[in-house]
Amino acid sequence: MIQIQIWADFECPYCYFQTIVLENLQAKYQGRLEIVWRAFELIPVEGQVTPSQSYKDNFETAKSEPIVLKEGLEFLVPTFLTYTWLAQESVYFANSQGLSLKLARALFDAFFLGGLDISSEEVVMKIASKVGLDIQQLRQALDNGKLTKQVMADEQEFKTYGFQGLPAMLIGEKNFSPRSFMPITGYKTLEELLEILPK
């Protein structure tokens, strides 16, 4: 089985695109591809902040990607950026239930298409419930602090691999050492990933 580990941030439009591509790829591989969510927060802020001009410029550029038209994505221009740690911990937890990609997509949709505050526990729990996550187990995992340690470890590992941007991926055969995986940085289309994946 092929495994793709992906580091992504919920306020990065290219990470959103990559999640959609991975959904399509997973459907194509029919159980022969495992996606593991790894956490990295680009803008670790408390509360809400106004997007910088560079963020707005990057967002406008991202909207011209072919996948936006193909998927019929009707973006709302983000009016704020917020703390996404809760979302990251929740999707990391969803790895254990095979729902990380589904939850990640729903959170991206909520932020970029719905303009919702994904730092809100109420919002995240409602979305997690809709995708089939066990909310009671999620709350317990969030409360005991283990997910926080895992997310912090993910961010540190991102740095050890020398990744310079998001999305970032490791691609290889499951159960082999991550050091044997191919590191990939930057958004890749479905066609590009099909060329990269082990045959």
Side-chain angles (χ1 to χ4, degrees):
M1 176 180 283
I2 299 168
Q3 184 182 82
I4 297 179
Q5 302 178 33
I6 175 170
W7 281 260
D9 178 88
F10 289 109
E11 294 170 338
C12 166
Y14 291 98
C15 293
Y16 183 18
F17 302 157
Q18 198 65 75
T19 301
I20 295 171
V21 168
L22 290 179
E23 281 186 318
N24 294 333
L25 193 65
Q26 198 170 50
K28 188 177 183 67
Y29 270 71
Q30 294 291 321
R32 294 179 290 122
L33 174 67
E34 179 182 65
I35 308 296
V36 177
W37 188 268
R38 311 294 299 273
F40 193 85
E41 192 172 31
L42 280 172
I43 308 172
V45 298
E46 293 286 355
Q48 296 182 356
V49 298
T50 302
S52 66
Q53 189 58 50
S54 62
Y55 180 90
K56 293 177 182 177
D57 292 343
N58 184 62
F59 181 79
E60 287 303 316
T61 301
K63 284 166 59 178
S64 66
E65 288 286 339
I67 194 170
V68 175
L69 181 61
K70 182 179 179 183
E71 295 289 329
L73 302 176
E74 297 183 3
F75 276 114
L76 296 176
V77 179
T79 57
F80 64 89
L81 300 178
T82 190
Y83 194 52
T84 62
W85 198 268
L86 175 62
Q88 291 285 9
E89 290 191 11
S90 298
V91 179
Y92 189 95
F93 173 79
N95 280 326
S96 65
Q97 299 187 20
L99 292 170
S100 57
L101 204 56
K102 192 173 182 180
L103 178 55
R105 172 65 189 272
L107 288 165
F108 276 119
D109 287 347
F111 180 72
F112 282 113
L113 308 184
L116 299 181
D117 179 2
I118 57 172
S119 70
S120 162
E121 183 174 348
E122 181 182 355
V123 169
V124 172
M125 291 300 163
K126 186 177 291 186
I127 293 170
S129 178
K130 283 183 179 179
V131 303
L133 216 60
D134 187 314
I135 298 303
Q136 185 175 358
Q137 289 184 17
L138 173 57
R139 288 187 187 279
Q140 290 174 349
L142 289 167
D143 289 344
N144 66 28
K146 289 183 180 179
L147 293 176
T148 300
K149 292 179 181 178
Q150 293 289 352
V151 169
M152 290 174 68
D154 275 358
E155 295 208 344
Q156 187 57 46
E157 194 166 354
F158 176 91
K159 297 172 184 175
T160 65
Y161 281 108
F163 290 130
Q164 297 298 311
L166 295 177
M169 293 177 282
L170 291 177
I171 299 177
E173 295 287 344
K174 186 180 178 182
N175 298 325
F176 279 74
S177 166
R179 292 291 173 186
S180 69
F181 282 33
M182 180 188 304
I184 305 293
T185 302
Y187 166 58
K188 302 298 178 188
T189 65
L190 179 63
E191 293 72 24
E192 288 171 325
L193 279 183
L194 288 172
E195 288 294 320
I196 293 169
L197 287 176
K199 299 296 187 284

